[in-house]
Amino acid sequence: MYLRLGAILGVLTFATVACSIVDDGRVERVSPPAELTDTLPPTTIAPTTTEAATTTSGMETTTTDVQVDMVLLYYISSGKLSTFVGSLSSQYAPSQLMALLQAGPIDNPITIGLRNALPADVEIEASQDGTGVAQVVLPEGFFDTISVGDQRLAVAQIVMTLLGNIAGVGQVAFNLQVSGPAGELIPEGQVLSRADYQTLLASSATAAGSTTLPLDTTTTLAG
């Protein structure tokens, strides 16, 4: 009996501790500590916007006119010299004219039948000495790769091209012995003129003049 009464008293004591009983007999619920109800504040990540900078740069296309000189180049056709019109930048040097002559005739339908007796892999130096004579310097062995029948034509190509285009020049002299128009030997330093090779021309021609042309100028065969 005493044990049962003790158990009842223990239950009543626990209930008294769990619920606070105020003086007026009302039961007041005890709020839990604030630490137990605190939560982390919501985290908001602001969106990041990246804009790519676009730079527009305009490219200006300009057309530049270049002052060029039309030149008459002499090539071989059926054992005679025929002219072909080429172009060089204005105020070209005689050696530039020789380099252009050596490089042609260009691969073009209008040049069919023209050939060149001058080797392209050697340098032909040419200059004017102020006395009306163009001085031509050929390397040793220049004629070694040119057939005997073409040697006079090769010399004629040089003489006629120089005299047909270089103002103030009326004669040409070589540093080597060369072949004349009939195959005769011309001593080193002896001057040659246009008249000396006139018989080798397929037709008469005159030097072209100077003009202003666009950079992509094409050449045409002289008629």
Side-chain angles (χ1 to χ4, degrees), residues 122-135:
V122 297
E123 182 179 3
I124 300 176
E125 297 180 14
S127 61
Q128 46 184 323
D129 59 8
T131 65
V133 178
Q135 299 292 335

Side-chain angles (χ1 to χ4, degrees), residues 74-82 151-157 160 179-183 194-203:
Y74 287 79
Y75 295 108
I76 304 167
S77 177
S78 301
K80 295 288 187 177
L81 296 185
S82 295
Q151 289 183 9
R152 66 188 184 114
L153 293 170
V155 174
Q157 283 184 259
M160 299 304 288
S179 296
R194 184 181 179 88
D196 293 327
Y197 292 92
Q198 197 72 31
T199 57
L200 294 179
L201 293 180
S203 61

Side-chain angles (χ1 to χ4, degrees), residues 30-37:
V30 178
S31 299
E35 291 83 354
L36 299 179
T37 59

Side-chain angles (χ1 to χ4, degrees), residues 103-194:
I106 60 176
D107 186 12
N108 190 294
I110 64 176
T111 65
I112 292 177
L114 296 181
R115 65 184 183 88
N116 194 352
L118 298 173
D121 56 349
V122 297
E123 182 179 3
I124 300 176
E125 297 180 14
S127 61
Q128 46 184 323
D129 59 8
T131 65
V133 178
Q135 299 292 335
V136 177
V137 178
L138 303 176
E140 291 294 333
F142 177 79
F143 293 102
D144 291 350
T145 59
I146 304 175
S147 66
V148 175
D150 277 351
Q151 289 183 9
R152 66 188 184 114
L153 293 170
V155 174
Q157 283 184 259
I158 296 173
V159 172
M160 299 304 288
T161 298
L162 284 173
L163 298 184
N165 297 285
I166 304 298
V169 173
Q171 295 176 314
V172 177
F174 291 85
N175 66 317
L176 300 177
Q177 178 179 274
V178 298
S179 296
E184 74 278 19
L185 295 179
I186 305 297
E188 171 189 342
Q190 180 174 319
V191 295
L192 296 166
S193 68
R194 184 181 179 88

